[in-house]
Amino acid sequence: MRIELEKATELIREHDNILILTHRNPDGDALGSGYALCRALQSVGKNVVFRYFEKIPKVFIQLEDCCSHAEFEPSFVIAVDCADSKILGDSPEMSYKEKVDLCIDHHPSNTLYAKYTCLDENAAATTEIILMIARELGAEVDSLTATAVYIGLSTDTGCFRYSNTTARTLRMAADMVDAGINAGRLNRILFETKSKSYAALEAMALSTMKKYFAEKCAIMYITLDMYEISGTDETEVHALSALPRQIEGVLVGATIKESEPGRYKVSIRTNPPVNASEICQIFGGGGHKRAAGCEIHGTLEEVTEQLLKAIEPFVKDVEAE
Ligand SMILES: [Mn+2]
């Protein structure tokens, strides 16, 4: 059931021993949302723990120490930034997929798997919604919580460049600066620094880029071999997905990433008027208008071919807006 922010706040206020989860392969917004909510709730005296079950990108490790870990049997489960229970980062001992009480999210493709869903498609990042809830609760937003909020806001908007950035996003970012974050330092770490291994991987990925459909579609791929040769792991590749779309005239940029032999994760980034989420939904995935993802099985050639077939109608006879 979809609920308003006030109702979500009320539910949180009524409960204690709260477990926060997010999606698998958590990105900046997923981790920022989890940590910001965890700290906000701790500041109003709740027993709360944020857990994820996978490796996280190195740049976010500084967030890891910002919540103390309580031990309890959760009586209320919140999922943040997670559009589908299929991609919920779940405990290996105990699945929460069917047991999410409240989902706080901004993905239009949310499947409403939770008992209650507080969904704001106009939020550029889930941390926008988390900040509003924290304010409603009268929670403290100290510089660490503000850092977590800012990491969500900035990473989901490509450092406030993408069209999902609103006046509210920018105002909230300004408020986080007032709360004591070091925005210059965070931006440098998040957007202006590449590990050596990442830079090597980027060069290899770019060398695979091909264009299709009157150069309105650009596709590049990353294989398991490339991870090994460059010394990167999957957690570092998120930013690469932005590259194909940066080429002038490209409406659909796709990055095909081998996750295990025969399985590929595909990230789609689009320019208006093409809806990335609609393309990914063809393969059972989803996401946002300009950024979405899905998984396709087969050989690299088969995956590319299926993808091209799906993309063609989205770019054929379509002009950039
Ligand atoms: Mn997000």
Side-chain angles (χ1 to χ4, degrees):
M1 193 210 308
R2 280 189 73 158
I3 54 167
E4 298 298 318
L5 191 94
E6 293 70 30
K7 171 76 179 160
T9 311
E10 199 183 302
L11 281 169
I12 293 171
R13 209 178 267 130
E14 282 166 3
H15 288 89
D16 202 2
N17 299 326
I18 297 168
L19 172 67
I20 303 170
L21 301 170
T22 188
H23 61 77
R24 290 204 307 260
N25 301 312
D27 58 9
D29 189 33
L31 293 164
S33 296
Y35 278 119
L37 184 61
C38 187
R39 286 184 67 82
L41 297 189
Q42 284 176 347
S43 83
V44 293
K46 301 277 184 196
N47 242 341
V48 49
V49 55
F50 169 45
R51 293 187 72 189
Y52 49 87
F53 302 89
E54 283 177 63
K55 273 201 291 189
I56 64 167
K58 286 184 213 131
V59 290
F60 303 130
I61 283 176
Q62 57 166 333
L63 281 175
E64 255 181 347
D65 298 323
C66 78
C67 286
S68 57
H69 279 244
E71 282 294 329
F72 55 77
E73 195 57 45
S75 53
F76 195 70
V77 179
I78 304 179
V80 292
D81 198 46
C82 180
D84 193 324
S85 61
K86 281 194 297 224
I87 57 164
L88 185 72
D90 220 356
S91 153
E93 309 96 55
M94 153 104 187
S95 175
Y96 288 101
K97 283 187 170 55
E98 313 284 326
K99 299 188 180 110
V100 178
D101 296 294
L102 171 64
C103 173
I104 303 169
D105 190 24
H106 69 137
H107 294 91
S109 59
N110 191 294
T111 61
L112 306 181
Y113 59 91
K115 200 163 155 200
Y116 298 101
T117 302
C118 177
L119 181 65
D120 181 354
E121 296 100 327
N122 297 316
T126 298
T127 59
E128 273 189 32
I129 313 167
I130 302 293
L131 182 61
M132 291 188 281
I133 290 175
R135 286 172 172 169
E136 285 271 323
L137 284 167
E140 187 193 352
V141 178
D142 64 6
S143 67
L144 260 178
T145 306
T147 296
V149 170
Y150 183 85
I151 286 177
L153 298 177
S154 63
T155 55
D156 263 19
T157 57
C159 205
F160 310 102
R161 288 173 305 168
Y162 302 156
S163 55
N164 59 347
T165 311
T166 65
R168 184 175 76 185
T169 319
L170 294 167
R171 276 191 196 101
M172 285 180 166
D175 291 343
M176 297 307 99
V177 174
D178 281 341
I181 65 158
N182 186 337
R185 180 174 175 276
L186 284 169
N187 292 341
R188 177 164 48 82
I189 295 169
L190 295 169
F191 305 103
E192 291 296 331
T193 311
K194 294 173 187 175
S195 68
K196 288 170 200 162
S197 52
Y198 174 87
L201 182 70
E202 186 180 79
M204 278 187 259
L206 283 173
S207 73
T208 71
M209 184 121 60
K210 280 205 183 110
K211 285 183 258 163
Y212 305 88
F213 312 128
E215 307 206 328
K216 285 189 272 190
C217 168
I219 297 184
M220 68 179 191
Y221 61 84
I222 303 162
T223 62
L224 291 172
D225 282 351
M226 294 183 195
Y227 291 123
E228 200 171 323
I229 298 165
S230 61
T232 47
D233 64 54
E234 235 203 351
T235 66
E236 283 191 89
V237 304
H238 194 72
L240 274 181
S241 312
L243 300 178
R245 180 183 58 182
Q246 288 173 353
I247 301 168
E248 188 179 15
V250 167
L251 291 178
V252 180
T255 307
I256 303 172
K257 296 168 280 188
E258 188 175 16
S259 52
E260 46 187 275
R263 289 173 87 106
Y264 293 86
K265 282 188 183 145
V266 180
S267 296
I268 306 253
R269 301 288 182 271
T270 59
N271 279 319
V274 185
N275 187 327
S277 190
E278 284 174 10
I279 298 173
C280 290
Q281 273 164 18
I282 295 170
F283 301 102
H288 305 279
K289 257 201 264 181
R290 301 284 160 256
C294 59
E295 201 174 286
I296 310 179
H297 300 175
T299 64
L300 182 58
E301 290 69 32
E302 286 162 358
V303 169
T304 310
E305 199 177 310
Q306 284 191 56
L307 198 55
L308 284 170
K309 226 182 243 165
I311 291 170
E312 187 172 15
F314 287 88
V315 295
K316 211 179 164 199
D317 305 317
V318 174
E319 294 305 321
E321 269 173 13

